[in-house]
């Protein structure tokens, strides 16, 4: 084994040209700490325990405590692994999962270990996945408390199972484990989107997410199978060696083999599905039907970044192609997604959907980063986005929780000034400046890395890189606009609100199945102020509201109830983390000399890649070989450009949507929640375009017409064929004997003499026959 | 068997045309003729009457026709097989008569009539 390693090392050192753009090869993995396997075991154990709690009819918050403890322990283990990490990839194996061989020859065996592969990318992902999972489990403890009982157990079981699946996806040391995790997170996403299974919209959204993901997963599965066929292995370490050697398993030259662009494209389709990129993205906005903590963790911070992770993990394969076809596709999918989602966000009013589309848009940035040859930028943006988008989601969740599910930004205003919502407002401001890319925030630095590299990467490497970069810059401005549109309308300005529908029904749609309203109140009415205003009114009044169908939340008293300690703690933690995330940019990277801590982590992983123009070579070199930003070195000017674009976006938002006063720098003129005269005038000016964007460009309707309608028509035709042909034949088999019987039946007349005549005639016939025979 | 058939065949013709020439005394053919006549009467009665009791009596008549034929043959062949057989048939016929008459009574109670055509529920 060591001899082979040595041979490979010299080969990699000698022939940089074999794999056209590949960075220096990835070292062979050493032996990792088996403690890493606990990261898989603990969440699974916690999920099983939640199942036990459900079976024993536990009605306390025990599942939440268990989950927070298990996930917190996972975070501790991840942190310990990181601190004890020597910068080299390592593997730790639990057991041989699948081991088959059907011959002694090459490619006639299949091995998949149940084990982990630890490198920079893995640790980076595990740190924020387990960290955020802990914080969001803490938040869920309170957020889901209206469902204490079976629903609570179900929620936390799926939550823990999700973390297990995500860990398998990120840490697995082969593509089959990645696939296991990939499908696992898809399943948990389905279970959690459809958590409110009595709500038809939630069930439909869950199915939509599952089915859209299956389409992408086909690409992933084809990629894995093709990888096995072409490279004869699905384990990362030997796979990376083989790619570095520039040969396929059969000895063909990789650079000219179809698989060098074919396999990455298949994987890219898988990534597009899971990460809600263009043409597959429609499931993610609908996934906002799930509980908000789920949206924060799964549909913003972690699961949807699995596609980014997949591309980063297989970056040697993506960059082995001399023409970089797959990466061009990835880049353009990302750019189109980012821009497309941003235009929708600028028009819609549902603040949770705004966050959903914003996630799609930011995922587009990450994909563009991967495609435009800066895996560091993509990973860095994934990392920072995880924190600030979780903050934003948790803030939106607190508003939703406090105002009876109200999400329309025209019905809420000045939330930050209401009692108990100050922290939420501050957290939203922190999240918003991060998302907008205000200077010196984490989001600013990570987006900047992507934008600078986008302008630097020459069009000769990635098709249309310059155009992509300009579109990304435009999207960055739009991002700032829509982010502050939400913030300035909902969180500042005159205090005003209309409670949502849940206030009217007192969460009837959500209170657990099989529990009467009284029971529900009994367990719910004291404690942390949860019952949408009933703390102040007492049980009598909220019951009245529940049983009176004419309860009008707009005219009757409704007190928004502020988040309790665990929600506040989680929001505060996420907020602090998203501020601190900026700090990692200033940490000295372990590899290379800029890009911060994340660059070092990515540099010590399979995604290590020397981006073109990374070593600032001066304007002359940029002009000669690389792209420029209007003649300047993008790496030097992009700080100022992206800051300027972000601020312009914020100013436009303030001008159009800002309330009067200091919050919009005295240029806003919004007078109430619903009235923003300039914005309304502008929306009218773009009439049809606004309407189209508000209706999500009718993409769902187009898919309906293109996919569902033909299927329905086909189903109808088959239905008719089934009824006519198949059922016809079957019915004929029954009808023939029946017709025969009908024609013979009258012979059974029921008249006694009739039968007697028959018998007599028979006897007569016999006599005649006998007679005739006699005569012969 | 051929003899038997011949006998049957001839009995009809011979008894009518020239009885004296074949059998001056009362012989097999006479008995068989009576039997056939009795049977024919039974059949005709069964077919033409609607009264259940009459129809039942007609079947009894056909029974006895068969009985006469059996006894005649038994005598003709000089063994007792036919006679024994007839004893059995008579016994069964007696039992069957009890049963059938009971059935007729029950049927009469149902519909207050003995008309056989009233009982045609099993027509197709």
């Amino acid at each position: 084994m060591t001899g082979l390693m040595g041979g490979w090392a010299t080969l990699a050192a000698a022939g940089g040209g074999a794999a056209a753009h590949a960075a220096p090869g990835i070292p062979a993995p050493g032996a990792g700490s088996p403690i890493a396997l606990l990261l898989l075991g603990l969440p699974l154990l916690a999920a099983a325990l939640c199942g036990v709690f459900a079976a024993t009819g536990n009605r306390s918050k025990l599942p939440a405590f268990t989950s927070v403890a298990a996930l917190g322990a996972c975070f501790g283990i991840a942190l310990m692994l990181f601190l004890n990490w020597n910068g080299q990839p390592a593997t730790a194996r639990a057991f041989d999962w699948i081991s088959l061989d059907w011959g002694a020859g090459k490619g006639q065996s299949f091995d998949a270990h149940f084990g982990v592969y630890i490198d920079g990318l893995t640790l980076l992902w595990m740190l924020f996945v387990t960290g955020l999972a802990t914080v969001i489990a803490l938040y869920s403890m309170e957020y889901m408390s209206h469902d204490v009982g079976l629903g609570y157990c179900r929620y936390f079981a799926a939550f823990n199972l999700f973390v297990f699946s995500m860990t398998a996806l990120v840490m697995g040391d082969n593509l089959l484990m990645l696939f296991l995790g990939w499908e696992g997170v898809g399943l948990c996403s389905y279970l959690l989107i459809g958590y409110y299974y009595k709500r038809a919209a939630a069930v439909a959204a869950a199915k939509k997410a599952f089915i859209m993901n299956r389409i992408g997963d086909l690409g992933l599965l084809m990629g894995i199978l093709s990888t096995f066929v072409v490279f004869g292995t699905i384990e990362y370490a030997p796979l990376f060696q083989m790619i570095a050697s520039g040969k396929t398993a059969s000895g063909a030259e990789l650079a000219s083999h179809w698989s060098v662009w074919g396999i990455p494209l298949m994987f890219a389709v898988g990534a597009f599905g899971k990460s809600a990129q263009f043409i597959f993205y429609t499931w993610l906005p609908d996934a906002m039907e799930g509980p908000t903590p789920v949206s924060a963790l799964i549909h913003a911070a972690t699961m949807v970044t699995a596609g980014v992770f997949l591309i980063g993990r297989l970056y040697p394969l993506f960059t082995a192609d001399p023409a970089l076809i797959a990466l061009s596709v990835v880049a353009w999918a990302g750019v189109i997604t980012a821009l497309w989602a941003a235009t929708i966000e600028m028009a819609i009013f549902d603040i949770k959907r705004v966050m959903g589309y914003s996630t799609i848009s930011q995922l587009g940035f990450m994909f563009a980063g991967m495609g435009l040859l800066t895996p560091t930028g993509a990973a860095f943006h994934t990392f920072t986005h995880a924190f600030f988008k979780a903050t934003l989601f948790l803030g939106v969740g607190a508003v939703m929780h406090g105002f009876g599910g109200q999400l329309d930004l025209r019905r809420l205003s000045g939330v930050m000034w209401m009692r108990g919502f100050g922290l939420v407002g501050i957290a939203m401001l922190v999240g918003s400046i991060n998302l907008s890319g205000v200077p010196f925030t984490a989001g600013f630095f990570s987006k900047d890395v992507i934008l600078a590299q986008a302008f630097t990467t020459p069009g000769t490497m990635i098709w249309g890189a310059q155009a992509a970069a300009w579109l990304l810059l435009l999207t960055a401005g739009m991002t700032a606009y829509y982010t502050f549109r939400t913030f300035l309308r909902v969180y500042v300005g005159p205090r005003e609100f209309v409670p949502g529908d849940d206030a009217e029904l007192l969460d009837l749609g959500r209170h657990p199945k099989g529990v009467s309203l009284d029971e529900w109140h009994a367990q719910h009415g004291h404690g942390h102020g949860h019952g949408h205003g009933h703390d102040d009114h007492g049980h009598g009044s909220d019951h009245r509201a529940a049983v009176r169908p004419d309860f009008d939340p707009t005219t009757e008293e409704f007190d928004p109830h502020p988040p309790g300690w665990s929600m506040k703690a989680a929001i505060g933690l996420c907020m602090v983390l998203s501020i601190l995330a900026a700090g990692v940019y200033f940490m000295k990277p372990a590899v290379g000399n800029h890009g911060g801590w994340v660059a070092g982590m990515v540099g010590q992983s399979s995604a290590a890649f020397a981006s073109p123009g990374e070593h600032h070579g001066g304007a002359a070199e940029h002009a000669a070989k690389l792209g420029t930003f209007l003649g300047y070195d993008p790496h030097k000017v992009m700080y100022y450009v992206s800051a300027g674009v972000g601020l312009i976006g914020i100013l436009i938002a303030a001008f159009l949507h800002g309330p009067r006063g200091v919050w919009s720098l005295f240029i806003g003129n919004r007078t109430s929640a619903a009235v923003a005269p300039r914005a309304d005038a502008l929306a009218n000016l773009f009439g049809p375009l606004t309407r189209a964007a508000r209706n999500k460009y009718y993409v769902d309707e187009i898919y309906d017409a293109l996919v569902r309608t033909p299927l329905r028509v086909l189903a109808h035709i088959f239905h008719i064929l089934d009824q006519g042909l198949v059922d016809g034949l079957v019915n004929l088999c029954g009808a023939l004997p029946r017709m025969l019987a009908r024609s013979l039946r009258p012979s059974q007349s029921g008249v006694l003499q009739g039968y007697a005549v028959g018998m007599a005639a028979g006897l007569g016939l016999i006599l005649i026959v006998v007679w005739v025979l006699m005569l012969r | 068997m051929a003899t038997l058939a011949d006998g049957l065949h001839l009995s009809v013709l011979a008894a009518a045309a020239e009885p004296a020439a074949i059998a001056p005394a009362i012989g097999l053919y006479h008995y068989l003729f009576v039997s056939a006549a009795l049977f024919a009467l039974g059949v005709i009665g069964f077919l033409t009457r609607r009264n259940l009791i009459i129809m039942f009596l007609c079947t009894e008549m056909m029974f006895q026709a068969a009985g006469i034929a059996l006894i005649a043959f038994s005598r003709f062949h000089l063994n007792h097989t036919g006679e024994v057989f007839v004893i059995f048939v008579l016994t069964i016929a007696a039992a069957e008569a009890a049963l059938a008459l009971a059935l007729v009574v029950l049927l009469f109670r149902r519909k207050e009539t003995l008309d056989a055509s009233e009982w045609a529920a099993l027509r197709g």
Side-chain angles (χ1 to χ4, degrees):
Chain A
M1 191 67 183
T2 41
L4 199 106
M5 294 288 106
W8 167 76
T10 46
L11 202 146
H21 303 285
I26 299 141
S33 164
I35 291 173
L37 293 165
L38 276 178
L39 284 172
L40 287 162
L42 279 175
L44 200 59
L45 180 70
L49 278 176
C50 288
V52 172
F53 296 147
T56 53
N58 193 302
R59 299 186 66 82
S60 69
K61 285 189 179 178
L62 198 57
F65 294 130
T66 312
S67 305
V68 173
L71 298 176
C74 280
F75 176 67
I77 292 167
L79 199 62
M80 198 202 74
L81 282 176
F82 166 65
L83 293 174
N84 291 330
W85 186 49
N86 62 0
Q88 297 296 312
T91 55
R93 281 167 184 174
F95 54 89
D96 281 355
W97 189 15
I98 297 173
S99 183
L100 298 170
D101 55 84
W102 51 95
K106 226 176 179 183
Q108 288 189 314
S109 65
F110 180 92
D111 285 297
H113 302 280
F114 200 89
V116 295
Y117 181 89
I118 300 162
D119 69 355
L121 206 61
T122 307
L123 286 171
L124 176 68
W125 245 264
M126 278 328 290
L127 281 173
F128 77 77
V129 166
T130 54
L132 276 174
T134 312
V135 172
I136 292 171
L138 183 70
Y139 182 93
S140 307
M141 185 193 293
E142 180 185 333
Y143 190 90
M144 302 307 295
S145 57
H146 59 85
D147 245 6
V148 165
L150 270 181
Y152 207 62
C153 296
R154 180 162 57 92
Y155 176 86
F156 280 99
F159 197 96
N160 285 309
L161 196 62
F162 166 76
V163 178
F164 163 75
S165 307
M166 195 71 202
T167 309
L169 195 165
V170 172
M171 299 201 77
D173 82 338
N174 56 62
L175 285 167
L176 197 64
M177 265 195 86
L178 179 130
F179 189 68
L180 169 79
W182 195 274
E183 295 302 316
V185 293
L187 168 72
C188 296
S189 163
Y190 167 81
L191 292 174
L192 288 167
I193 296 169
Y195 177 77
Y196 298 123
Y197 59 87
K198 285 185 181 170
R199 224 193 286 157
V203 174
K207 284 191 283 196
K208 187 173 177 182
F210 201 68
I211 292 166
M212 290 303 274
N213 268 303
R214 289 287 79 65
I215 300 170
D217 291 354
L218 181 67
L220 176 70
L221 193 58
M222 281 166 60
I224 294 173
L225 297 175
S226 307
T227 303
F228 180 70
V229 169
V230 173
F231 296 103
T233 180
I234 55 162
E235 298 207 40
Y236 294 141
L239 179 65
F240 294 154
Q241 282 175 37
M242 198 165 280
I243 294 166
S245 74
K247 302 263 190 221
T248 67
S250 56
E253 204 62 47
L254 184 60
S256 54
H257 197 256
W258 68 269
S259 62
V260 81
W261 54 267
I263 295 180
L265 275 181
M266 295 174 200
F267 281 122
V269 170
F272 292 165
K274 188 62 85 195
S275 291
Q277 293 300 291
F278 193 68
I279 84 162
F280 293 116
Y281 71 89
T282 55
W283 67 268
L284 187 54
D286 287 19
M288 298 302 138
E289 289 292 339
T292 305
V294 166
S295 304
L297 179 68
I298 300 184
H299 303 119
T302 56
M303 182 190 87
V304 287
T305 65
V308 183
F309 176 82
L310 175 68
I311 296 176
R313 172 56 83 227
L314 297 172
Y315 218 59
L317 187 59
F318 277 79
T319 48
D321 178 11
L324 296 174
I325 294 169
L327 281 181
S328 298
V329 171
V330 168
W332 274 99
V335 170
I336 292 170
T337 309
L339 186 65
W340 183 269
T343 57
I344 296 176
E345 284 155 88
M346 298 201 309
I348 55 176
F349 296 115
D350 182 326
I351 53 176
K352 203 175 165 191
R353 298 266 150 128
V354 168
M355 293 308 154
Y357 277 107
S358 152
T359 303
I360 296 175
S361 181
Q362 297 305 305
L363 287 165
F365 265 94
M366 296 165 206
F367 272 69
M370 279 293 178
L372 292 164
L373 302 176
T374 172
T376 299
F380 191 18
H381 200 52
T382 307
F383 181 74
T384 59
H385 175 261
F387 295 113
F388 66 71
K389 187 51 68 64
T391 311
L392 287 167
F393 261 112
L394 298 185
V396 167
V399 170
M400 198 180 160
H401 192 69
F403 292 88
Q406 182 58 268
L407 286 170
D408 192 328
L409 56 77
R410 291 166 301 183
R411 304 214 165 116
L412 292 166
S413 174
V415 169
M416 193 171 167
W417 313 124
M418 293 178 198
R419 190 172 54 81
F421 280 94
L423 177 73
V424 175
I426 294 166
M428 288 302 286
L429 180 62
V430 169
S432 296
I433 58 174
N434 268 293
L435 182 54
S436 310
V438 168
F440 306 112
T441 59
F444 168 72
F445 291 121
S446 58
K447 202 181 284 181
D448 183 70
V449 174
I450 294 175
L451 284 172
Q453 187 60 49
F455 278 104
T456 311
T457 299
T460 49
M461 293 178 84
I462 297 296
W463 188 83
Q466 282 285 306
W470 281 103
L471 288 177
L472 283 179
L473 193 62
L474 173 67
T475 310
M478 286 158 74
T479 308
Y481 166 74
Y482 71 69
T483 310
F484 269 87
R485 167 178 179 256
T486 306
F487 179 77
L488 291 170
R489 286 197 76 135
V490 174
Y491 292 91
V492 294
R495 262 175 281 177
E496 222 181 292
F497 65 86
V498 179
D501 298 337
D502 291 358
E504 184 176 357
L505 296 169
L506 264 174
D507 255 355
L508 268 182
R510 293 194 198 170
H511 91 274
K513 191 182 182 180
V515 178
S516 78
L517 199 63
D518 288 321
E519 271 180 281
W520 181 62
H521 279 170
Q523 51 159 313
H524 186 64
H526 41 77
H528 43 72
H530 210 291
H532 301 283
H534 68 207
D535 283 356
D536 299 55
H537 298 288
H539 279 213
S541 70
D542 68 44
H543 207 111
R544 178 191 49 134
V547 295
R548 271 181 47 198
D550 60 342
F551 174 75
D552 180 1
T554 55
T555 55
E556 298 194 23
E557 274 186 275
F558 173 87
D559 286 344
H561 62 91
W565 74 268
S566 71
M567 280 171 75
K568 274 187 176 155
I571 294 174
L573 266 173
C574 275
M575 179 179 76
V576 170
L577 286 173
S578 34
I579 295 168
L580 291 181
V584 303
Y585 188 66
F586 298 104
M587 286 163 70
K588 186 175 166 22
V591 176
N593 51 16
H594 67 284
W597 175 72
V598 174
M601 296 297 276
V602 172
Q604 291 172 315
S605 77
S606 61
F609 185 76
S611 306
E614 200 173 30
H615 309 288
H616 297 225
E621 191 205 339
H622 269 288
K625 285 201 317 220
L626 303 167
T628 61
F629 178 75
L630 303 174
Y632 297 98
D633 178 355
H635 282 114
K636 286 178 181 152
V637 298
M638 198 43 65
Y639 293 118
Y640 313 110
V641 174
S642 72
V645 167
L647 290 176
I648 290 169
I650 293 173
L651 286 178
I652 295 174
F655 182 70
L656 293 177
H657 296 281
R660 290 186 176 139
V662 66
W663 275 100
S664 44
L665 306 170
F666 303 103
I667 56 170
N669 70 343
R670 183 165 65 84
T671 49
S672 71
V675 184
R678 292 178 192 141
D680 298 342
L682 193 68
N684 286 335
L685 192 66
F686 287 107
L689 195 62
T690 318
R691 264 199 305 284
R694 225 161 255 173
N695 288 303
K696 302 165 272 175
Y697 296 120
Y698 305 101
V699 171
D700 282 330
E701 285 77 5
I702 291 167
Y703 284 178
D704 193 77
L706 286 182
V707 180
R708 253 178 63 184
T709 309
L711 281 177
R712 268 166 192 272
V713 169
L714 203 63
H716 212 74
I717 292 168
F718 284 151
H719 177 71
I720 291 167
L721 278 182
D722 180 63
Q723 295 273 300
L725 197 69
V726 181
D727 284 13
L729 280 173
V730 173
N731 287 339
L732 191 66
C733 290
L736 280 178
R738 212 167 53 225
M739 278 155 63
L740 192 67
R742 189 174 295 144
S743 62
L744 292 178
R745 219 158 55 199
S747 64
Q748 298 289 315
S749 61
V751 181
L752 203 48
Q753 274 81 15
Y755 305 132
V757 167
M759 286 163 71
L763 187 63
L765 196 68
I766 290 170
L767 284 178
I768 290 167
V769 168
V770 170
W771 197 339
V772 169
L773 289 176
M774 291 297 123
L775 288 179
R776 275 169 70 190
Chain B
M1 201 57 196
T3 353
L4 207 65
D6 280 348
L8 205 69
H9 162 65
L10 289 175
S11 72
V12 181
L13 300 176
E18 33 180 358
I22 296 163
I26 294 175
L28 176 64
Y29 301 116
H30 297 91
Y31 288 106
L32 288 182
F33 180 79
V34 170
S35 166
L38 204 55
F39 191 84
L41 281 174
V43 169
I44 291 164
F46 190 86
L47 290 182
T48 53
R49 302 299 295 265
R50 291 285 180 275
N51 189 309
L52 281 169
I53 295 177
I54 303 295
M55 284 165 77
F56 173 67
L57 289 179
C58 288
T59 58
E60 287 297 317
M61 212 141 91
M62 288 185 265
F63 252 134
Q64 302 321 315
I68 289 171
L70 281 168
I71 299 271
F73 280 122
S74 178
R75 184 73 191 143
F76 182 72
H77 290 297
L78 294 175
N79 65 21
H80 301 292
T81 316
E83 286 164 23
V84 172
F85 198 51
V86 167
I87 298 291
F88 276 103
V89 169
L90 280 179
T91 319
I92 289 167
E96 182 228 307
L99 203 65
L101 283 173
L103 272 173
V104 169
V105 170
L106 284 176
L107 290 174
F108 180 78
R109 282 191 187 160
R110 281 280 178 90
K111 291 209 174 168
E112 296 286 327
T113 174
L114 287 173
D115 189 347
S117 59
E118 285 294 309
W119 298 94
L122 286 180
R123 67 172 170 273

